[in-house]
Amino acid sequence: MKKPLFADLSLLLVTIIWGTTFVLVQNAIDFLEPFSFNSIRFLAAAIILILCLFFF
């Protein structure tokens, strides 16, 4: 795959992911308090990081 095409597709993928998570975060903030939401986010990130460090 040519580098410009790969760069364009990567940028498109990042934009889609960012846009999707923006909507999900807005809906989650309506459901949870901000501190609870951030606690869950950071806990999930920490668990994923620990698993990545453990396996790799």
Side-chain angles (χ1 to χ4, degrees), residues 13-40:
L13 179 66
V14 167
T15 304
I16 290 170
I17 292 171
W18 179 85
T20 304
T21 57
F22 181 78
V23 173
L24 292 174
V25 167
Q26 292 300 319
N27 291 336
I29 291 294
D30 291 337
F31 182 69
L32 294 171
E33 295 181 9
F35 288 123
S36 300
F37 176 71
N38 276 338
S39 299
I40 292 170

